[in-house]
Amino acid sequence: ALTWLRLAMVAVAFIAQIAVLVIAIVFFTGKLPWLFTVHIIISALVIIWILASSMAPEYKISWSIPILLMPLVGGLFYLLYGRSYFTKGERESLMIPWQKSRALLDGVNHRGDMSAHCNAGARRIAHYLRSAAHYPAYGNTAVTYYPTGEDAWKAMLAELEQAEDYILFQYFIISAGTMWDELYAVLARKAAAGVKVHILYDDLGSVFTLPRNFEQTLHEAGVHVQPINPFGLKMLLRYNNRNHAKILVVDGKVGFTGGINIGDEYINITSPYGHWKDVAVRLHGPAVYSLAIMFATVWNAEKETLAWSSLAPSPHLSGEHARGWVQPYDDSPFDNLRVGQDAYIALLATAQESVDITSPYIIVDAEMTGAIIRAARSGVRIRIITSHIGDNWFVHETTRSSYAELVDAGVEIYEYEPGYMHAKMMIADGNSAIIGTINLDYRSLHLHQECAVWLYEVPAITHMTADFEATLASCLPITAETCAGIAWYRRALRAVLRTIAPLL
């Protein structure tokens, strides 16, 4: 009931703002000609601001078109809802933990000499992630790959049972159901035993799904909980920026990330979009420290209650002499970097033979599209598996609007016929890979806070590749004939959707 009340209040406030804006324009424009001129000038200045900004060209076009078509309201609408607004205090609350976390990360050694064990392409990727995002590459970290949400969930439960010191639990969506009930039972029991349990969730992402009396129940169980992006009137001004990361850390020794949220569809207890295909990884070793730092950076942006020193891993922690290199990293829309997209592009650019990709969407800008096409035209075999059943019809149609251009360049595209492909991973040449929460879409690459892990010469990549090959057996290939057979009206719809894709 509280969720629906909050939703109703925000909806009413949003409608009221739009109504006031429209009424003011309609009422005053005819009576005060100068007001009409003021609105035109505002829209013109907003377009100049947009064109001069550092945002992607696709965003500039997508915002400029409605402003040009509706100059009386377009410019003001962008000023209200097209940008992220932060007060001075909010900026400071974001920057203080960010600066602290980067200082801690800059003090972490690589745990070995990469130059003696990595090719030039891998060294460039590792160096970029270290210099841009500050996250180091670690040796001696074991990686376990889970090809389904069900497998990951069972492993998460098993690791939570072993917790002795602390648990860090962050998910974009937390939904009522079997998955949450079993996780909560362990979390509450551990909290009662003295384990420090901290939970972060995106309030907007979970607005329709949270279990009843969620925060109250957790507080009564001794669990510390904070919403990210609290859903309310302030959210109207920056609803686009959400925290899409998924992180679970147990005692600083074991960490999980990947595509799964907390909900029964992710483990196929329910099937709203057919079979849900998802993946995750478990890290065991020093690289888990970076996941803990990601969590603490967000938590301490709200209030400084999670001691940084408590996250420091034991100097003796290891993944049993695991091979390869592991480099967790995050990406934020609150800086001028696009770490998630740049890492994907770097992996495409360094590939020599093959790149295998899974993503629920293919809604990317010209730079990302160009990187995929250049790799394909240079002789690298590019294969992409995406969803056959979409979770949103117009987003799904927008994904399909990219097929013809990619297929024409030699990219192999497949749709996961049993249902919904939610996994987010990219594998290059069978020895380098990225896996995490970053979709191939504008929201993940430009607007959301995300996290991922770059892997090099890690044995788990073999399992990732084998799973990709096995999944292909359940996929429909998209051919040039498939693309040519689309009806004209559907082509027209896709053209429109592709134009406004950055705003979806």
Side-chain angles (χ1 to χ4, degrees), residues 81-304:
Y81 305 112
R83 304 170 62 225
S84 295
Y85 289 84
F86 292 92
T87 66
K88 180 181 179 181
E90 288 172 331
R91 289 184 182 278
E92 289 178 353
S93 71
L94 287 171
M95 287 304 299
I96 292 173
W98 187 91
Q99 291 169 345
K100 177 64 176 179
S101 67
R102 269 48 190 175
L104 291 170
L105 290 167
D106 288 342
V108 175
N109 294 322
H110 282 281
R111 305 293 177 112
D113 182 12
M114 292 190 69
S115 61
H117 303 91
C118 298
N119 60 37
R123 290 198 298 272
R124 287 200 302 273
I125 293 173
H127 184 79
Y128 169 78
L129 292 174
R130 182 74 195 239
S131 63
H134 294 259
Y135 286 95
Y138 300 83
N140 207 26
T141 296
V143 181
T144 305
Y145 172 71
Y146 301 102
T148 70
E150 297 92 308
D151 293 336
W153 175 49
K154 293 174 184 176
M156 290 162 61
L157 287 169
E159 292 298 341
L160 288 171
E161 292 284 5
Q162 303 303 312
E164 297 178 344
D165 185 12
Y166 70 83
I167 294 169
L168 309 179
F169 188 99
Q170 176 182 348
Y171 286 87
F172 177 60
I173 295 173
I174 297 178
S175 301
T178 301
M179 186 179 188
W180 169 248
D181 288 344
E182 295 201 19
L183 287 167
Y184 169 73
V186 182
L187 293 169
R189 189 167 64 252
K190 287 296 176 177
V195 175
K196 296 177 287 293
V197 181
H198 292 77
I199 294 180
L200 285 169
Y201 68 97
D202 191 277
D203 200 28
L204 185 59
S206 302
V207 67
F208 293 111
T209 64
L210 277 182
R212 187 177 180 84
N213 300 322
F214 180 69
E215 289 194 35
Q216 179 182 344
T217 301
L218 289 171
H219 285 309
E220 290 174 353
V223 175
H224 306 280
V225 58
Q226 283 193 62
I228 313 167
N229 300 324
F231 189 70
L233 299 182
K234 289 175 64 176
M235 179 52 61
L236 287 175
L237 298 179
R238 55 172 181 265
Y239 70 96
N240 274 325
N241 303 128
R242 306 171 195 171
N243 196 307
H244 194 242
K246 292 99 178 173
I247 295 170
L248 172 61
V249 174
V250 178
D251 292 344
K253 301 176 182 178
V254 173
F256 291 81
T257 191
I260 63 170
N261 284 296
I262 309 304
D264 287 354
E265 65 269 35
Y266 297 91
I267 55 175
N268 288 293
I269 291 177
T270 60
S271 302
Y273 310 110
H275 183 268
W276 193 288
K277 170 62 176 171
D278 223 325
V279 300
V281 285
R282 169 188 177 271
L283 310 182
H284 176 223
V288 176
Y289 181 58
S290 287
L291 293 178
I293 288 292
M294 292 176 203
F295 182 98
T297 303
V298 177
W299 183 277
N300 287 341
E302 298 294 330
K303 48 186 175 182
E304 184 82 23

Side-chain angles (χ1 to χ4, degrees), residues 392-412:
N392 185 302
W393 74 267
F394 57 84
V395 173
H396 195 44
E397 284 296 313
T398 307
T399 287
R400 287 174 163 173
S401 72
S402 302
Y403 288 176
E405 180 182 13
L406 295 173
V407 169
D408 182 64
V411 177
E412 300 175 37

